[in-house]
Amino acid sequence: MKFKNIVVAGGGVLGSQIAFQSAFKGFRVKIWLRSEASIGRTQPKLDRLYQIYLKEVEGLEAHLGKDYPDCPRGFTNEFSKLTEADIQQFRQKIEEAYKNIKLELCEAEAFQDADLVIEAMAENREEKVAFYKRIREYLPEHTILVTNSSTLLPSMFAEDTGRPDRYLALHFANNIWRGNTAEIMGHEGTSKEAYDAVVEFAGEIGMVPLPLKKEQPGYILNSMLVPFLSAAEALWANDVADPETIDNTWKLGTGSPLGPFQILDIVGLMTAYQIVLAKPGAQEPGTVMYKIAAKLKEYIDAGKTGVNAGEGIYKY
């Protein structure tokens, strides 16, 4: 099926990016939010993305006719064929996306005409279950529901959705206009039609679809990334070295442009904190996980939640 109306449930770091990229690619997009306070937190993220996308277009324009290995792949995978007319079209699409994304508090208004719902809420199983059960009555029969959960499996929620055959996982990396991966993971009851429709949608919004053959906690990317970030957090929590030293060690030793704590700021410290809380030992004083959670919470309580807040481990 062809999607037209997209609803993103949650306006966090990734939710706002998914919404903006989908609108940029021409879909009608709503973001469902729980409260006026959520709107107050989401709008600045959209404002920031608007400026980022315009700056990316400036970079594309400056490199027309030249080599540009750092081209934002979520914009185009054929940079060498771009023309000035394409650049102007990008600008127009950014303006339209920014103007037309609708922030919605009413569940009935948000979901009643949805073709695809992308749940991008915090890693809290109980809240997700409650959400899925609550929106059942509003969703059209044809609606496909996906989760962007970083660690939880679709089989854990399939029956709660009331549409297990039309439920699966669609997971994005951060800065999706550049890190344009879309991992698609079904469960045993996911229909081929729903799976294929989500794969097609991922390509339509400029992502590279990465199909998984079976369920895997953390998908492909986070199965590699989370242990890496956890190792860095453990060095920090055990006072082996400070974040800047740990980042410099990684960047100098591997040639990577980013260290683990810079990545954590992009991911968002709240997301990192939720992941840590779900691990064994996180509630037991003296354990490494407990220490990591305590350190992250200090930053969160101070409003230093990452790039979108202007400060996390680092200032921006």
Side-chain angles (χ1 to χ4, degrees):
M1 65 175 293
K2 285 285 185 183
F3 301 140
K4 293 181 180 178
N5 300 314
I6 311 301
V7 182
V8 180
V13 174
L14 263 173
S16 58
Q17 291 181 29
I18 296 165
F20 203 98
Q21 179 71 18
S22 299
F24 172 60
K25 288 295 184 174
F27 290 87
R28 292 196 288 267
V29 178
K30 298 175 188 175
I31 303 178
W32 173 79
L33 299 164
R34 281 183 271 202
S35 65
E36 290 289 347
S38 296
I39 291 178
R41 291 188 292 269
T42 299
Q43 188 59 54
K45 295 184 181 73
L46 297 175
D47 297 343
R48 176 175 175 269
L49 288 167
Y50 171 67
Q51 295 298 329
I52 288 172
Y53 274 56
L54 289 176
K55 192 170 182 62
E56 292 285 17
V57 172
E58 290 178 7
L60 288 169
E61 186 172 35
H63 288 85
L64 280 178
K66 307 173 187 175
D67 187 34
Y68 191 24
D70 197 33
C71 171
R73 299 186 303 273
F75 278 57
T76 178
N77 58 7
E78 296 184 317
F79 172 72
S80 62
K81 297 181 180 180
L82 285 183
T83 65
E84 185 62 43
D86 294 319
I87 297 297
Q88 295 308 316
Q89 189 174 50
F90 283 149
R91 287 197 172 96
Q92 181 179 346
K93 288 180 177 180
I94 292 166
E95 296 293 340
E96 290 174 353
Y98 182 61
K99 179 177 65 177
N100 293 330
I101 292 174
K102 185 176 181 181
L103 305 184
E104 183 61 70
L105 297 177
C106 174
E107 290 178 348
E109 288 295 324
F111 299 111
Q112 64 184 355
D113 59 354
D115 297 318
L116 176 68
V117 174
I118 303 171
E119 176 264 300
M121 298 165 61
E123 297 291 270
N124 183 305
R125 183 176 181 181
E126 290 73 26
E127 289 185 6
K128 289 180 189 289
V129 168
F131 168 73
Y132 293 148
K133 289 183 175 180
R134 207 168 56 244
I135 67 169
R136 280 186 185 188
E137 63 179 294
Y138 306 120
L139 295 179
E141 182 66 22
H142 71 272
T143 305
I144 293 175
L145 175 60
V146 300
T147 179
N148 182 56
S149 172
S150 299
T151 57
L152 303 172
L153 299 175
S155 59
M156 297 168 64
F157 304 98
E159 294 304 320
D160 297 311
T161 67
R163 57 188 65 229
D165 60 320
R166 283 152 289 154
Y167 178 69
L168 60 156
L170 174 62
H171 184 255
F172 296 86
N174 259 292
N175 294 345
I176 69 174
W177 62 94
R178 285 187 163 274
N180 62 330
T181 63
E183 298 173 277
I184 298 103
M185 180 171 71
H187 60 93
E188 286 188 358
T190 302
S191 72
K192 184 178 185 302
E193 292 75 18
Y195 193 96
D196 290 347
V198 173
V199 170
E200 183 178 359
F201 168 75
E204 289 174 340
I205 62 169
M207 302 296 106
V208 177
L210 301 170
L212 276 70
K213 297 180 179 180
K214 60 189 291 186
E215 286 191 311
Q216 163 66 29
Y219 309 78
I220 300 169
L221 179 60
N222 282 342
S223 291
M224 297 183 285
L225 179 62
V226 171
F228 164 63
L229 297 178
S230 294
E233 289 169 324
L235 290 169
W236 178 41
N238 285 326
D239 294 323
V240 174
D242 58 59
E244 187 173 2
T245 300
I246 295 168
D247 277 359
N248 283 338
T249 301
W250 182 257
K251 290 190 290 185
L252 291 170
T254 66
S256 173
L258 297 173
F261 289 96
Q262 290 172 299
I263 294 172
L264 279 169
D265 273 352
I266 294 170
V267 170
L269 300 192
M270 182 59 75
T271 297
Y273 180 65
Q274 293 286 346
I275 291 171
V276 170
L277 288 183
K279 292 186 176 181
Q283 309 297 335
E284 301 172 19
T287 65
V288 173
M289 286 301 153
Y290 184 89
K291 293 177 185 176
I292 293 172
K295 280 185 172 288
L296 290 172
K297 194 166 189 306
E298 286 181 17
Y299 280 80
I300 292 167
D301 288 347
K304 302 174 183 179
T305 56
V307 169
N308 278 294
E311 186 172 0
I313 303 298
Y314 299 97
K315 288 186 178 181
Y316 301 90

